[in-house]
Amino acid sequence: MYQQAAWIISIILILFVIFVFLYVVAHSGRRTDYEPIQRKGYRIRNVWFLAVIAAMGLATFYTLRDLPFEKPAHAADSTVVQVKARQFGFVLSQNEFRVGEPIAFQVTSEDVNHGVGIYDERMELLAQTQAMPKYTNTIYYTFDKPGTYQVLCLEYCGIGHHVMVATITVAPAEEGKGN
Ligand SMILES: [Cu+2]
């Protein structure tokens, strides 16, 4: 969903840039006084500046709450999983989970910077963080569908970057536990 939104927004912005470019090219032959155009430009700029600030403020307010980095209330009941990234692979202390089981992936690296991205079967990114040497980043995540998930490196880390793959399997929720 996010990839598609990003794709559509990119296309719209590219079309906008093309439109502006063509507009400028089409009007470049005309000679007019510079000052009124400049004044008009400044007026438009002031209005748009405020509009952009307002739009970005609203977008930030509504999207920040969906960020997965916040420590959830049930963090204490999470299954703690050590994730060690290294050239070129991942070592997970556990890779079989159940639907609805809250998990805390504690991510670090044994050598250089890596990225840890968890992808579903449609290759949509569900959660990610950096894997850094001597530092632990935690991803709190709860799988809501059974299936096979992939962990891929998101940071170009050397010649074998593309072979950094780990698999996670998620089984249906336990009987009597809902879901
Ligand atoms: Cu890597």
Side-chain angles (χ1 to χ4, degrees), residues 81 83 104-108 114 129-132 135-139:
V81 181
V83 181
F105 292 99
Q106 297 192 340
V107 176
T108 189
H114 297 274
T129 193
Q130 283 269 316
M132 303 188 283
Y135 196 88
T136 301
N137 283 319
T138 306
I139 306 175

Side-chain angles (χ1 to χ4, degrees), residues 114 153 155 157 161 164:
H114 297 274
C153 184
E155 182 86 44
C157 57
H161 165 67
M164 290 188 65

